[in-house]
Amino acid sequence: FDGDFLVNGLPLFLAMDPPESERAHLATGLRAWDGGIILARYLEKYVPKALQVMSKTRLRGLELGSGTGVGGLSFALLGQEAVLTDIGDAQRDATLANIRRNEGSFPAGA
């Protein structure tokens, strides 16, 4: 995730532990899961439709157990308001670091 994965035409930057690392096995929120990638694609496709159907200009989302933040950061890159949460110091630090890596790409207020 060095900017090669795009959400809404914007690069998503993530730092994560290698899947084979001991830390990633102990704290599963330190790596990107396939489900997060699928969620990012789902949001990219359906958030614009939800905005239209609901006659809203913006949505709010809460990601529980965000880990590296693939889902919540993707939601924010789509211009939506995202709150990312996780437990544990390592997960919190990873989430915050990835927010910082991407915050220059978030539309205002995301």
Side-chain angles (χ1 to χ4, degrees):
F1 286 90
D2 291 327
D4 54 340
F5 184 79
L6 302 179
V7 177
N8 199 33
L10 300 169
L12 178 62
F13 296 98
L14 296 177
M16 61 192 132
D17 282 28
E20 66 277 358
S21 78
E22 183 177 338
R23 226 171 68 117
H25 284 282
L26 297 174
T28 57
L30 301 178
R31 55 185 165 162
W33 292 86
D34 292 345
I37 296 165
I38 291 167
L39 176 60
R41 290 294 177 237
Y42 179 89
L43 292 170
E44 193 172 39
K45 182 174 182 177
Y46 288 106
V47 163
K49 291 178 183 181
L51 289 167
Q52 184 179 17
V53 167
M54 295 167 48
S55 299
K56 300 240 180 201
T57 57
R58 205 146 152 230
L59 301 173
R60 289 186 209 162
L62 171 63
E63 185 179 18
L64 302 172
S66 60
T68 57
V70 176
L73 293 172
S74 296
F75 194 65
L77 288 172
L78 290 163
Q80 309 311 306
E81 185 178 335
V83 175
L84 286 71
T85 66
D86 211 323
I87 59 170
D89 293 340
Q91 293 91 330
R92 181 200 60 228
D93 293 345
T95 301
L96 288 172
N98 286 329
I99 290 169
R100 288 186 198 106
R101 279 183 180 80
N102 292 279
E103 64 189 348
S105 298
F106 299 144

